[in-house]
Amino acid sequence: MKNWTKKNLDFGVWRIPNPKLTLLLTILLAVVGNKTMAQSLDDYLTHATENSPLLKASYSQYLASKERIDQPGLPDPELQVGVFLQPMERFMGTQLADYRLMQSFPWFGTIKAQKSEADFSSQAQYQLFMEVRNELFFQIKYTWFDLHRIQGEIDITKEILTYFHKLEELALTDFKASTGSRPSQTSKNPSNSNGEIIQEKMSEINSSSGGTNGMAEVIQIRLEIKELENQLALLTSNQNSLFIKFNQLINRDIQDKIELNEKLQPPLLELDKYSLLDSIKEKNPMISKYENDALAYEQRAKIAKLEGNPKIGLGINYSPFLPRENDGIDHSDHSMDMLMPMVTLSLPIFRNKTEGKINEAKYLQEVATQNQLQTENLLAIQWAEAFQNWEDATRSLELYDKQIELVQQQINLLTTSFSNGSVPFSSVLKSQLKILNYQIKRIEAITLQYQSLSLLEKLSGINLINT
């Protein structure tokens, strides 16, 4: 490969000698640029998983709880050393010091129960982390679909604004023609199939009424334009706020650009309604959390009961001696040091604290069980509301599709009647605004479908949206 130096490169200061290579690099940069701009919802969710401070904190909390599993074990051995400042004269000789080493042992099964309690607590903490993740994903998805809703409404509003501006131009041209000399060429038609009929009929009305009706039409169109421009400004403002919210949810700079390249299409839900409820009861993290909490408290009660048993201690006591001078005994054949095995046994005679610990753990276990039942009830309520929203949005979507089709047919009929002079132009205008309203409602219905599925995903842990 050719070595790149300042001589043969030129980007401003640097120069690339091969034009084909320049073209190749340009294409590659364009491809990379498109990939970075056209990010999908899955890409944003991955970014949030890797960078969200909330998720990192929750996962670190889980890792911290996991470290407790290996902590239970034997207590540290105890070493006692006593040194006589002045040697103690004993029968066996002169004692210089006293050493004692003890190791205590909890009752059989205590350490195993402690490890089990820590393990269940760690699993409960992991389920809590999963709940935090699911809630964050739900917020991201909910905001994402809101962004698509607003973008769709902005597109429709801009489209209808373009239409009304053309109508304004047409009405104004015909008004001027009716009050003065008519131009030899007609103005540009509006962007619909009946534009020529509307233009011709408006010219006839304006010329017959001396321009009064024509100016009224112009003012009416301008009023609609002002209303649409204000609505567009509000939508743009809301969109900017949602952009900031979305970037903060995934922990990006608030000014980072978010591309919404694809329009949302109506989603499909293949799972049965009650099968989804069964999945929620089986897979929801909060239900699993309370199950593990109850098991952990059960082990805690077992630990309290085991700790109420005696503790055994084994050890050894060593006392070094020096022979007394001139005691008349030959110590060459035996040691003067003393070695004494020891056994200790605790006496758990104060039972109130033990019973208190056991009862405390049982009450906490009951709390976890009742919380689990309450959570199942609340999840069933959320499931019912989410599914109702899904069904309502699906029915509304079917209704709006039919209404848009019918209003379009109405516009065609009104345009024909308007050309015959039997209906005013305002009727055509109102019908066109109806289509705008139904199109916006249609987008809102699709958004509600996706947001309902997002909530059902959060509750069940099942992927229901193909992104």
Side-chain angles (χ1 to χ4, degrees):
M1 182 179 288
K2 193 166 186 177
N3 294 326
W4 299 104
T5 64
K6 188 171 181 178
K7 276 187 175 180
N8 52 26
L9 290 171
D10 191 358
F11 262 102
V13 177
W14 304 87
R15 178 174 52 83
I16 298 178
N18 191 339
K20 292 184 179 180
L21 182 58
T22 304
L23 178 60
L24 177 60
L25 289 176
T26 303
I27 295 173
L28 289 176
L29 288 173
V31 172
V32 172
N34 288 335
K35 287 186 176 180
T36 56
M37 295 298 289
Q39 286 184 296
S40 66
L41 177 58
D42 286 337
D43 296 328
Y44 290 122
L45 293 176
T46 301
H47 186 277
T49 302
E50 297 172 351
N51 297 279
S52 170
L54 181 64
L55 284 186
K56 288 182 178 180
S58 182
Y59 190 71
S60 295
Q61 188 71 31
Y62 157 67
L63 293 179
S65 67
K66 193 175 180 181
E67 293 297 323
R68 292 183 55 241
I69 298 176
D70 295 328
Q71 292 180 16
L74 293 175
D76 295 331
E78 183 178 353
L79 175 64
Q80 296 179 2
V81 178
V83 179
F84 293 100
L85 299 178
Q86 291 183 352
M88 178 70 69
E89 295 291 337
R90 300 293 180 101
F91 174 78
M92 297 177 61
T94 303
Q95 185 177 1
L96 302 177
D98 189 52
Y99 302 94
R100 175 177 295 180
L101 180 64
M102 294 294 298
Q103 174 66 62
S104 61
F105 298 90
W107 195 257
F108 305 103
T110 302
I111 295 177
K112 182 179 178 181
Q114 290 173 341
K115 288 180 177 290
S116 296
E117 189 266 342
D119 186 30
F120 287 127
S121 297
S122 176
Q123 293 180 35
Q125 189 62 47
Y126 179 76
Q127 296 301 326
L128 188 59
F129 158 73
M130 293 298 295
E131 175 65 16
V132 172
R133 190 206 67 166
N134 291 348
E135 176 63 26
L136 177 62
F137 281 11
F138 169 69
Q139 293 294 333
I140 292 173
K141 292 175 183 178
Y142 196 93
T143 307
W144 173 260
F145 297 129
D146 256 349
L147 284 170
H148 277 81
R149 174 185 61 81
I150 291 182
Q151 185 60 51
E153 293 179 5
I154 288 175
D155 292 340
I156 292 175
T157 305
K158 287 181 177 178
E159 182 179 349
I160 203 70
L161 261 175
T162 302
Y163 171 78
F164 274 101
H165 278 301
K166 291 180 179 179
L167 281 181
E168 179 191 20
E169 179 184 352
L170 173 64
L172 190 59
T173 301
D174 286 338
F175 169 73
K176 291 179 180 178
S178 66
T179 56
S181 60
R182 185 173 304 278
S184 60
Q185 294 181 354
T186 59
S187 60
K188 188 176 180 181
N189 296 337
S191 58
N192 62 7
S193 59
N194 304 299
E196 294 181 359
I197 300 177
I198 293 175
Q199 181 186 10
E200 293 174 1
K201 188 59 185 173
M202 285 184 67
S203 300
E204 294 175 5
I205 292 175
N206 292 337
S207 60
S208 62
S209 61
T212 304
N213 291 337
M215 193 59 200
E217 298 290 355
V218 172
I219 294 175
Q220 179 64 32
I221 293 173
R222 286 177 176 176
L223 287 174
E224 298 295 343
I225 288 175
K226 290 297 182 183
E227 183 69 25
L228 289 171
E229 287 176 344
N230 180 67
Q231 182 178 348
L232 182 61
L234 291 175
L235 289 172
T236 304
S237 178
N238 292 337
Q239 186 183 51
N240 291 334
S241 298
L242 283 179
F243 279 146
I244 294 175
K245 177 182 178 181
F246 188 83
N247 279 323
Q248 291 297 286
L249 285 172
I250 63 177
N251 195 33
R252 295 200 316 175
D253 188 87
I254 61 174
Q255 296 182 347
D256 284 354
K257 193 173 182 180
I258 299 172
E259 290 294 326
L260 305 172
N261 295 325
E262 297 182 0
K263 293 184 178 180
L264 294 180
Q265 300 300 324
L268 298 176
L269 178 59
E270 298 178 354
L271 286 180
D272 177 70
K273 180 177 181 179
Y274 291 97
S275 298
L276 195 56
L277 180 60
D278 293 336
S279 299
I280 291 174
K281 292 181 178 180
E282 292 175 3
K283 299 181 180 181
N284 187 268
M286 291 305 296
I287 293 179
S288 299
K289 176 191 178 300
Y290 289 126
E291 287 178 350
N292 284 286
D293 281 340
L295 293 173
Y297 292 133
E298 181 181 357
Q299 292 298 315
R300 186 179 296 184
K302 183 178 179 181
I303 292 169
K305 185 177 181 179
L306 291 172
E307 287 179 343
N309 294 319
K311 295 182 180 62
I312 301 173
L314 300 178
I316 190 170
N317 194 80
Y318 172 69
S319 299
F321 287 88
L322 292 177
R324 291 196 298 264
E325 297 179 359
N326 302 322
D327 60 354
I329 301 176
D330 184 8
H331 301 283
S332 59
D333 294 334
H334 63 274
S335 172
M336 297 294 295
D337 299 340
M338 183 183 70
L339 190 65
M340 180 177 63
M342 300 182 64
V343 177
T344 61
L345 186 68
S346 66
L347 301 176
I349 59 176
F350 303 106
R351 304 297 301 174
N352 289 338
K353 62 179 181 180
T354 300
E355 293 298 328
K357 290 181 180 180
I358 294 174
N359 292 333
E360 178 189 8
K362 288 182 178 179
Y363 284 129
L364 292 175
Q365 183 180 3
E366 178 66 17
V367 169
T369 302
Q370 296 303 322
N371 282 338
Q372 178 184 342
L373 295 175
Q374 179 65 12
T375 300
E376 290 179 356
N377 294 334
L378 293 176
L379 290 174
I381 293 173
Q382 290 180 298
W383 159 81
E385 292 177 350
F387 218 95
Q388 180 182 353
N389 290 337
W390 161 263
E391 293 175 335
D392 291 346
T394 303
R395 284 193 297 268
S396 298
L397 183 62
E398 295 175 357
L399 173 64
Y400 297 143
D401 286 337
K402 292 179 181 178
Q403 286 177 320
I404 290 174
E405 182 181 355
L406 291 174
V407 173
Q408 187 59 56
Q409 294 176 6
Q410 183 186 42
I411 290 176
N412 296 335
L413 295 174
L414 287 174
T415 303
T416 303
S417 299
F418 172 72
S419 65
N420 298 327
S422 57
V423 296
F425 175 71
S426 58
S427 298
V428 182
L429 198 62
K430 289 178 181 179
S431 296
Q432 190 65 42
L433 290 175
K434 280 185 182 179
I435 284 191
L436 168 64
N437 185 47
Y438 289 141
Q439 285 176 336
I440 290 177
K441 287 183 176 180
R442 183 179 186 275
I443 293 176
E444 291 174 349
I446 294 176
T447 302
L448 183 56
Q449 282 184 316
Y450 276 99
Q451 290 175 338
S452 300
L453 290 184
S454 299
L455 180 56
L456 292 172
E457 279 189 345
K458 171 184 176 292
L459 299 178
S460 65
I462 299 177
N463 184 23
L464 301 174
I465 302 174
N466 295 322
T467 55

